[in-house]
Amino acid sequence: MKFFVDTAEIDAIAELNELGIVDGVTTNPSLIKKSGRDILEVTKEICALVDGPVSAEVVATEADAMIAEGRKLATIADNIAIKLPLTWDGLKACKALSAEGHMINVTLCFSANQALLAAKAGASFISPFIGRLDDINLDGMQLIADIRQIYDNYGFETEILAASIRTVNHVSEAAKIGADVMTAPPEVIKKLAQHPLTDAGLAQFLKDAEAAGIKIV
Ligand code: G3P
């Protein structure tokens, strides 16, 4: 499973990148707002930092304007994935921009039928939002499973990018289903390393090492 970081915070991306676990980055207008940075500047810095796809989202809502924005975003770096919302106009822009050879991440996906359309329109990634479905008492993980089944049934190569991940369980459940990619905030990715039995076990080992006078270097 590829790990994307869902943030526009340079320091957080750099810290995770040191561990070699960052396969890409996703941003959206809310994350750009949170960073307080100019979208073109911060996206350029992120693209220089990571080798994999960096999703940058358009803000236009009409297809021709989305295409113009997408082309501009794509000039930032070779690893830009143009992020388009799952609307009819977004699908038209997806068709046009993917035909030009750009990577496209179709976002705000909340149904299997939307995911089917995005794949047929040439999306490189489909972003189903798990957490936001869970927020309204629907089953975000079931959507990941439904899309996996449909894409496998027909051999679609669009990668399933599990998004709106809020918990560590979201990550392992999406991995079990076979999502190709997950994108999560840095704090969720760091929590993947935590387990109370690891902490308790280490505390005991350190106590015994001290009692035994163990010194290695
Ligand atoms: O990748 C999409 C993600 O940023 C949305 O997450 O937590 O705002 O629903 P959230």
Side-chain angles (χ1 to χ4, degrees), residues 6-7 26-28 30-31 57 83 105 107-108 110 127-133 135 161-166 183-185:
D6 199 26
T7 187
T26 50
T27 67
N28 61 39
S30 304
L31 294 171
E57 188 161 346
K83 208 170 180 189
N105 176 359
T107 189
L108 291 166
F110 294 97
S127 288
F129 276 30
I130 298 170
R132 292 191 194 186
L133 283 167
D135 285 346
L161 197 175
S164 186
I165 281 186
R166 310 267 177 77
T183 190

Side-chain angles (χ1 to χ4, degrees), residues 177-198:
I177 291 166
D180 301 284
V181 192
M182 74 90 195
T183 190
E187 53 275 19
V188 172
I189 294 176
K190 289 185 85 172
K191 271 191 200 155
L192 295 173
Q194 293 174 5
H195 198 289
L197 291 179
T198 303

Side-chain angles (χ1 to χ4, degrees), residues 27-172:
T27 67
N28 61 39
S30 304
L31 294 171
I32 296 292
K33 175 173 174 257
K34 198 171 160 197
S35 77
R37 302 280 312 277
D38 172 76
I39 183 172
L40 300 177
E41 280 176 21
V42 75
T43 306
K44 191 170 183 176
E45 283 178 37
I46 296 170
C47 287
L49 202 58
V50 303
D51 294 331
V54 174
S55 291
E57 188 161 346
V58 304
V59 291
T61 54
E62 186 270 326
D64 286 342
M66 285 177 172
I67 291 167
E69 288 186 355
R71 286 180 182 144
K72 170 110 186 241
L73 291 170
T75 63
I76 295 173
D78 288 343
N79 53 336
I80 283 287
I82 302 163
K83 208 170 180 189
L84 301 164
L86 213 156
T87 59
W88 200 255
D89 279 73
L91 291 168
K92 281 195 213 171
C94 176
K95 181 75 186 161
L97 290 166
S98 62
E100 291 176 10
H102 299 297
M103 278 188 287
I104 307 296
N105 176 359
V106 177
T107 189
L108 291 166
C109 172
F110 294 97
S111 80
N113 283 329
Q114 287 182 315
L116 186 51
L117 278 173
K120 289 179 76 66
S124 321
F125 301 100
I126 183 69
S127 288
F129 276 30
I130 298 170
R132 292 191 194 186
L133 283 167
D134 291 355
D135 285 346
I136 57 164
N137 286 329
L138 294 174
D139 188 349
M141 210 52 69
Q142 185 58 48
L143 176 58
I144 303 292
D146 290 346
I147 299 171
R148 180 74 282 155
Q149 184 183 348
I150 289 168
Y151 281 9
D152 288 350
N153 282 349
Y154 297 100
F156 286 116
E157 289 180 2
T158 302
E159 294 189 53
I160 301 173
L161 197 175
S164 186
I165 281 186
R166 310 267 177 77
T167 68
V168 291
N169 287 344
H170 278 158
V171 177
S172 50

